[in-house]
Amino acid sequence: MAQPELSDNLIEQFGRQILVPGIDEQGQLNLSKRKVCIIGLGALGTVASQYLIRSGVGEVHFIDHDKVEGSNLHRQINYTLEDIGTYKTETSKNKLQRINDITKIISHRTSYQNYLKENKNENFDLIFDCTDNHANKILSSQHSKNNKVAYVSISINSTEGIYFSQNYQIDSSVCFACLFPQTDINHRCLNSAMIGPVAGFVTSLACTKIIFALASDSNDLKNEISLIDLLTSDINKLQLSKINCPH
């Protein structure tokens, strides 16, 4: 059976990416049909939004209820001084929808919890949690697991980062709460030290894995967790055991 051909428009805009082994023409077609949700448009989410839209993902949803603040600008790359006081979802959409004519961007100016109440049947190929809120990550992981959606979460603190991914489409063994139980400690980034390049590095690593997964015919995201230390240049990849998830 003949494979569908890439349009001249796709070749023109993504020709250099199509040349990458593991992407090729079919992979770019697959990307153009994928639907991704990015939760949180802070330091991590703004980098994620740039790379996933520039890769040619077909539809990207933004979920965030915050406004841009002056303290955001040193690490949240979608915003400038003129954007202070505006909503992150709308500002990001207005800026990024001019990157290509392939990606459809839909913004949701709300919390993820409220989004789920209003959009119970939304069907994504991948949910990417870029928030700094532990409870939100547990919620997004369990929602992805219950609905058999591929899931990625990233976090940063100072010069360190965590990458966590589970392909709940084919494996439902471990969720975020299994590895990171709820605590009383507030880990939000507004309480943490950090520099912008750490967000860029950790998110770039995640986006690379996501792009290759979405380009594959079967969306073959790998189950893994990686601990990243930018000061020592160490990336420690941990093997996740099969367990009976109690969540």
Side-chain angles (χ1 to χ4, degrees):
M1 183 176 180
Q3 295 287 347
E5 294 185 0
L6 239 60
S7 67
D8 291 341
N9 190 31
L10 277 174
I11 294 174
E12 172 66 23
Q13 295 191 57
F14 305 104
R16 296 290 292 273
Q17 182 167 278
I18 292 169
L19 294 174
V20 176
I23 303 293
D24 61 44
E25 293 188 1
Q26 183 58 47
Q28 193 62 52
L29 272 175
N30 291 340
L31 281 167
S32 70
K33 298 173 183 177
R34 301 301 191 198
K35 184 176 177 180
V36 174
C37 173
I38 298 176
I39 311 170
L41 287 170
L44 303 170
T46 51
V47 178
S49 67
Q50 290 274 349
Y51 277 125
L52 293 184
I53 288 170
R54 292 180 190 278
S55 73
V57 172
E59 186 172 320
V60 179
H61 288 235
F62 297 154
I63 301 176
D64 198 310
H65 65 281
D66 284 342
K67 292 182 179 180
V68 179
E69 300 178 2
S71 61
N72 300 152
L73 301 183
H74 90 282
R75 65 193 185 280
Q76 301 184 16
I77 63 174
N78 288 355
Y79 316 123
T80 62
L81 287 169
E82 292 77 16
D83 300 319
I84 293 174
T86 64
Y87 284 100
K88 292 181 178 181
T89 50
E90 295 170 3
T91 299
S92 294
K93 177 181 177 179
N94 290 339
K95 292 186 177 182
L96 301 184
Q97 65 186 358
R98 297 190 293 272
I99 288 176
N100 64 52
D101 55 6
I102 303 299
T103 305
K104 179 180 179 181
I105 302 174
I106 299 175
S107 63
H108 306 274
R109 195 177 71 192
T110 186
S111 67
Y112 184 61
Q113 187 174 19
N114 287 335
Y115 171 83
L116 289 182
K117 292 178 182 178
E118 300 169 3
N119 300 272
K120 295 181 179 179
N121 298 318
E122 194 74 72
N123 187 22
F124 293 107
D125 293 294
L126 183 137
I127 292 176
F128 191 5
D129 193 320
C130 297
T131 66
D132 56 11
N133 186 291
H134 187 268
N136 193 93
K137 290 180 180 296
I138 290 179
L139 177 63
S140 62
S141 173
Q142 292 178 353
H143 175 78
S144 299
K145 179 178 177 179
N146 291 338
N147 290 276
K148 301 186 182 303
V149 178
Y151 176 78
V152 172
S153 166
I154 51 176
S155 307
I156 56 172
N157 182 28
S158 187
T159 60
E160 300 175 339
I162 298 174
Y163 169 87
F164 172 78
S165 63
Q166 285 284 283
N167 194 343
Y168 293 126
Q169 292 180 324
I170 58 176
D171 185 352
S172 60
S173 60
V174 179
C175 74
F176 190 88
C178 293
L179 295 172
F180 306 101
Q182 182 69 61
T183 68
D184 295 328
I185 301 173
N186 186 352
H187 291 295
R188 294 201 67 193
C189 71
L190 57 86
N191 301 315
S192 304
M194 68 180 65
I195 58 174
V198 175
F201 184 95
V202 173
T203 312
S204 296
L205 174 68
C207 286
T208 301
K209 294 176 180 291
I210 288 170
I211 289 168
F212 275 99
L214 295 177
S216 66
D217 291 335
S218 57
N219 189 10
D220 59 349
L221 185 74
K222 300 297 187 296
N223 297 343
E224 64 179 270
I225 179 170
S226 295
L227 308 180
I228 304 156
D229 188 328
L230 269 295
L231 277 186
T232 62
S233 300
D234 290 332
I235 300 178
N236 296 309
K237 185 175 178 181
L238 306 182
Q239 182 69 39
L240 298 177
S241 300
K242 294 279 187 180
I243 65 171
N244 292 321
C245 172
H247 306 105

